Amino acid sequence: MAARVGLLLPHALLVSSARALPTPRARLPYPPPPIPTYRRRASSSSSASRPRRASPRLLAVRAMASGNPYAAELSAAKKAVTLAARLCKTVQQDIVHSGVQAKADKSPVTVADYGSQILVSLALKMDVASGPFSLVAEEDSEELRKEGAEEILEDITDLVNETIVDDGSYNISFTKEGILSAIDDGKSEGGPSGRHWVLDPIDGTKGFLRGHQYAIALALLDEGKVVLGVLACPNLPLSSINNLNGNSSGDQVGALFSATIGCGAEVESLYGSPPQKISVCSIDNPVNASFFESYESAHSMHDLTGSIAEKLGVQAPPVRIDSQAKYGALARGDGAIYLRFPHKGYREKIWDHAAGSIVVTEAGGIVTDAAGNDLDFSKGRFLDLDTGIIATNKNLMPSLLKAVQEAIKETNQATSLL
């Protein structure tokens, strides 16, 4: 399997892998013509073993019957992140630390980042009604266009095309130039007007590389407001988290969270199951609360969150997991509070919070910055906010805001004395 992904292996070894790549179809320039087939390949043993998922068109019809104004977009978004999750699981299981490139900001990016973004872009273009397409996404093709990146580009092309063939929904194949073009679909700047999809192709890259939690996070902005969000969390238990690492003890793994404005939030199996309504916990005493924070101390100031928890009287240790999986877990009541306080100088990107925030708010929670302001996703690719992001239920928010502001004030005073 590692040879099939083949990020660091010569082409000769790719050909001799245990499961060879399928015979390539005629490759088409990007974007492909709109000819989805919506059928599974009976010859694919992997697809035969999975529950059958209804087609995006059928899901859209069902959702429209329920009064969801973004029904077609919701079904397409679910399909998009599910397809991307399939590719990501293959890469995570096969190579973990192989094929990592360093971006300018020193955070790692893998072949799965690129492949996930391509597949989401493809699915949205194929399944959402025609019209202007705008995608605000994390990756671009700059690194892949540089000299020496030819082998990785070929590997991404092969992996994406193999995933499409195995899934069987689309009768298309990418050229290398089509791959680069598809990645650059994500260069939109967003903004307050029109509709913009917002994507983090792998949120929680370090967790992905460790074999831990990550998410494919996709949201839709309409006139500057988040109106839809989906989170594919391949390693998150379908039922409640039952240990401090966010892992499962024999439970079914693979959760798909979704929310549409005014319609509530749901969770279902990433591999197909009836969606279930979810809601944040109803705890009103912070002593009984638990809180989520980033696994990596480089991503959030653990000393500050510890001070906040102490002021609240929280007794439970923090639950540290990667990615927007924290938002999903909070939305279904696995914990009561989410705290994120990046180090000074870091600017939050909209794709790091757009999908997760609407899942929490539609589950009855509140998501604000450290001053209690709503998050504003209409300003482009970055979030302009006060200090950090907090999320909890309506009962705990007043006391949480007070503790946050007191802890920040004390930290700032201590810093000024140094």
Side-chain angles (χ1 to χ4, degrees):
M1 290 290 284
R4 173 167 56 83
V5 177
L7 296 178
L8 302 177
L9 299 178
H11 181 70
L13 291 182
L14 292 178
V15 176
S16 62
S17 63
R19 181 161 72 91
L21 289 171
T23 302
R25 305 179 184 190
R27 293 190 173 177
L28 304 174
Y30 194 82
I35 48 172
T37 59
Y38 301 115
R39 59 182 173 81
R40 301 282 184 182
R41 295 167 65 249
S43 60
S44 172
S45 58
S46 60
S47 61
S49 63
R50 299 191 313 272
R52 247 180 113 80
R53 184 181 289 275
S55 75
R57 290 174 179 173
L58 178 58
L59 290 173
V61 170
R62 291 174 178 171
M64 283 297 287
S66 68
N68 185 340
Y70 296 95
E73 292 83 355
L74 177 62
S75 60
K78 285 184 177 183
K79 174 63 186 292
V81 298
T82 300
L83 182 60
R86 180 173 184 165
L87 180 148
C88 293
K89 277 188 69 68
T90 297
V91 176
Q92 189 185 53
Q93 290 169 353
D94 289 353
I95 60 173
V96 186
H97 286 289
S98 299
V100 178
Q101 296 204 88
K103 293 187 293 190
D105 64 1
K106 305 301 182 184
S107 63
V109 57
T110 70
V111 65
D113 264 308
Y114 293 119
S116 175
Q117 185 161 314
I118 292 160
L119 291 173
V120 169
S121 176
L122 167 68
L124 293 177
K125 281 194 164 186
M126 296 289 273
D127 294 336
V128 180
S130 60
F133 179 74
S134 173
L135 176 66
V136 185
E138 184 172 16
E139 308 302 343
D140 62 47
S141 69
E142 181 180 356
E143 295 297 317
L144 294 177
R145 294 181 186 273
K146 291 181 178 179
E147 185 177 353
E150 294 85 358
E151 188 174 353
I152 278 191
L153 177 57
E154 182 174 349
D155 295 330
I156 294 168
T157 305
D158 287 339
L159 184 60
V160 166
N161 284 332
E162 182 183 1
T163 304
I164 292 170
V165 169
D166 285 348
D167 178 73
S169 294
Y170 309 114
N171 187 28
I172 65 109
S173 183
F174 281 93
T175 63
K176 292 177 185 177
E177 185 55 41
I179 288 289
L180 296 172
S181 179
I183 294 170
D184 287 337
D185 275 341
K187 284 187 172 182
S188 172
E189 292 296 319
S193 301
R195 288 190 176 189
H196 308 279
W197 291 98
V198 179
L199 171 69
D200 194 334
I202 296 183
D203 184 48
T205 312
K206 289 188 177 181
F208 175 80
L209 293 172
R210 290 194 309 270
H212 292 172
Q213 298 299 332
Y214 66 99
I216 297 96
L218 178 64
L220 178 62
L221 298 183
D222 195 349
E223 302 301 319
K225 301 292 184 182
V226 182
V227 297
L228 177 156
V230 293
L231 296 172
C233 304
N235 291 340
L236 195 70
L238 188 56
S239 60
S240 178
I241 292 173
N242 52 24
N243 65 49
L244 298 184
N245 295 318
N247 295 324
S248 168
S249 298
D251 248 345
Q252 184 179 355
V253 174
L256 175 60
F257 298 90
S258 62
T260 308
I261 190 167
C263 297
E266 298 178 331
V267 67
E268 61 195 273
S269 169
L270 191 55
Y271 309 104
S273 71
Q276 303 292 326
K277 287 286 187 180
I278 55 174
S279 60
V280 296
C281 73
S282 57
I283 290 173
D284 56 8
N285 186 344
V287 173
N288 301 322
S290 61
F291 72 96
F292 295 106
E293 65 178 353
S294 298
Y295 185 94
E296 299 277 348
S297 59
H299 293 168
S300 186
M301 293 184 286
H302 288 172
D303 288 347
L304 177 58
T305 56
S307 174
I308 294 168
E310 184 177 356
K311 290 181 179 299
L312 284 170
V314 172
Q315 301 296 310
V319 180
R320 292 173 177 165
I321 60 177
D322 301 283
S323 83
Q324 290 180 68
K326 293 185 286 292
Y327 277 118
L330 182 73
R332 69 181 180 191
D334 291 2
I337 298 168
Y338 168 38
L339 302 173
R340 178 178 170 88
F341 292 92
H343 294 272
K344 187 175 181 180
Y346 180 82
R347 294 185 71 189
E348 296 279 11
K349 288 89 170 177
I350 61 173
W351 52 73
D352 287 326
H353 301 282
S357 64
I358 191 171
V359 169
V360 169
T361 57
E362 284 298 315
I366 303 175
V367 183
T368 73
D369 68 11
N373 303 309
D374 292 338
L375 305 186
D376 185 353
F377 293 92
S378 70
K379 303 297 185 183
R381 297 171 73 88
F382 294 95
L383 280 172
D384 293 325
L385 46 79
D386 189 321
T387 309
I389 293 175
I390 59 177
T392 188
N393 63 35
K394 295 175 182 178
N395 298 327
L396 291 175
M397 183 55 84
S399 56
L400 175 58
L401 267 175
K402 180 181 178 183
V404 165
Q405 291 164 6
E406 288 177 356
I408 290 174
K409 182 178 179 180
E410 290 175 5
T411 298
N412 290 340
Q413 289 173 342
T415 302
S416 66
L417 295 176
L418 296 179

